[in-house]
Amino acid sequence: MRALLLAAGMGCRLRPLTDSTPKCLVPIHGRPLLDYWLDLVFEGGIERALINTHWLSGQVEAHVAASPWHSRIDLVHEDELRGTGGTVLANRAWFRNDASLVAHADNLTDFDVRGLIEAHRTRPAGHVITMLGFRTDDPSSCGILELDRHNTVVAFHEKAEKPPGNLANGAVYIFEPEVVDDMAMLGKAKVDLSTEVIPNYLGRILCVETHGYHRDIGSPASLLRAHIEFSQGSRKDREHKRAEARAEPLKTVRR
């Protein structure tokens, strides 16, 4: 499977930090955000990744050239941002008409890539999208999901004032080729996945909730929380610590 990492955002809310640093290279614990993503997808079984660039693209290109993963990365520059779905459309030939992973790479995450791919492989009949879900502490700022008992997305509330829950769209998807074909039928160069694509597939999207870390680092407050909350070390180390915490027996008070 191939993966498109959407990394061209300007990070306006993080200024002045992003006046001189691309958002995808903003450091967390001394490592650029993009490096976490590259380790995540390639260690998770992704064959090749495409990264789109725009703001301060020269820095991103130089960083990728120095990456240990550089031989498996392709870059595409956008003089004008195309929107999340527009970038998918503009590079549809790169996906080779196969199921492909598309991710907003401005989130800090350590979700289980292999698990998401396996869930898509065994998805219910008729489903053409598998979506990562996560529990948010700020539901009104996210796209909130409603699921049926089979974990199919049946309703989607994009940044609603009073959303019905806290299970949010993690902006990581696996699309079947027909989804990209349907995007092309919109007849637009600029397309937004959250507002113009995802709502069209209610009842045909499988949601896989991550038990790992997932946070948008697009504001100074969120970036600070990521530094505080996100433990250093490998994804496997974090998974092991979470598993230990879930397995730890409840302590009883002796009288």
Side-chain angles (χ1 to χ4, degrees):
M1 185 174 289
R2 291 185 166 198
L4 168 61
L5 302 181
L6 296 163
M10 297 178 66
C12 296
R13 291 178 296 159
L14 284 174
R15 287 175 172 165
L17 175 60
T18 48
D19 285 340
S20 57
T21 302
K23 185 179 180 182
C24 66
L25 297 186
V26 167
I28 295 96
H29 296 313
R31 293 193 73 205
L33 175 62
L34 184 59
D35 284 359
Y36 288 103
W37 273 99
L38 295 176
D39 287 353
L40 187 71
V41 296
F42 289 127
E43 291 174 1
I46 292 295
E47 170 203 356
R48 194 162 192 87
L50 177 67
I51 299 169
N52 66 329
T53 65
H54 176 69
W55 175 245
L56 300 175
S57 59
Q59 291 187 37
V60 181
E61 292 164 3
H63 187 79
V64 168
S67 168
W69 303 110
H70 70 91
S71 64
R72 295 166 64 179
I73 301 171
D74 298 309
L75 294 168
V76 59
H77 181 73
E78 297 180 3
D79 292 325
E80 183 178 350
L81 291 174
R82 301 175 180 271
T84 49
T87 299
V88 174
L89 277 178
N91 298 281
R92 62 189 303 192
W94 184 86
F95 294 115
R96 306 178 304 184
N97 203 38
D98 292 329
S100 302
L101 188 146
V102 177
H104 292 210
D106 53 1
N107 296 316
L108 178 62
T109 184
D110 60 358
F111 75 97
D112 181 0
V113 177
R114 291 185 187 275
L116 190 71
I117 293 172
E118 178 62 17
H120 185 78
R121 189 185 69 80
T122 59
R123 69 194 183 280
H127 289 52
V128 293
I129 298 174
T130 298
M131 170 193 292
L132 185 75
F134 76 105
R135 297 290 170 175
T136 177
D137 51 20
D138 187 11
S140 63
S141 71
C142 302
I144 296 300
L145 310 173
E146 290 187 67
L147 310 182
D148 67 11
R149 61 190 181 91
H150 301 294
N151 293 323
T152 296
V153 180
V154 295
F156 182 60
H157 307 269
E158 179 65 19
K159 298 179 181 177
E161 185 176 347
K162 295 182 179 180
N166 69 344
L167 179 63
N169 174 8
V172 179
Y173 315 99
I174 297 178
F175 291 145
E176 283 297 300
E178 69 180 80
V179 177
V180 184
D181 293 340
D182 289 347
M183 278 190 240
M185 296 296 289
L186 295 173
K188 300 169 61 176
K190 290 186 178 181
V191 178
D192 184 83
L193 291 176
S194 296
T195 60
E196 297 179 275
V197 177
I198 299 303
N200 298 331
Y201 291 93
L202 297 179
R204 303 175 67 195
I205 303 171
L206 174 67
C207 177
V208 177
E209 182 180 347
T210 179
H211 297 289
Y213 190 83
H214 195 92
R215 179 175 292 282
D216 173 14
I217 56 98
S219 70
S222 292
L223 181 59
L224 177 59
R225 291 195 65 171
H227 277 279
I228 295 170
E229 297 167 344
F230 192 71
S231 61
Q232 299 188 58
S234 69
R235 181 179 61 83
K236 290 182 180 179
D237 290 339
R238 288 187 290 274
E239 282 184 348
H240 182 67
K241 290 177 182 178
R242 285 193 292 267
E244 284 185 331
R246 289 195 296 268
E248 185 176 338
L250 294 175
K251 295 180 180 179
T252 57
V253 177
R254 294 184 178 181
R255 297 184 182 277

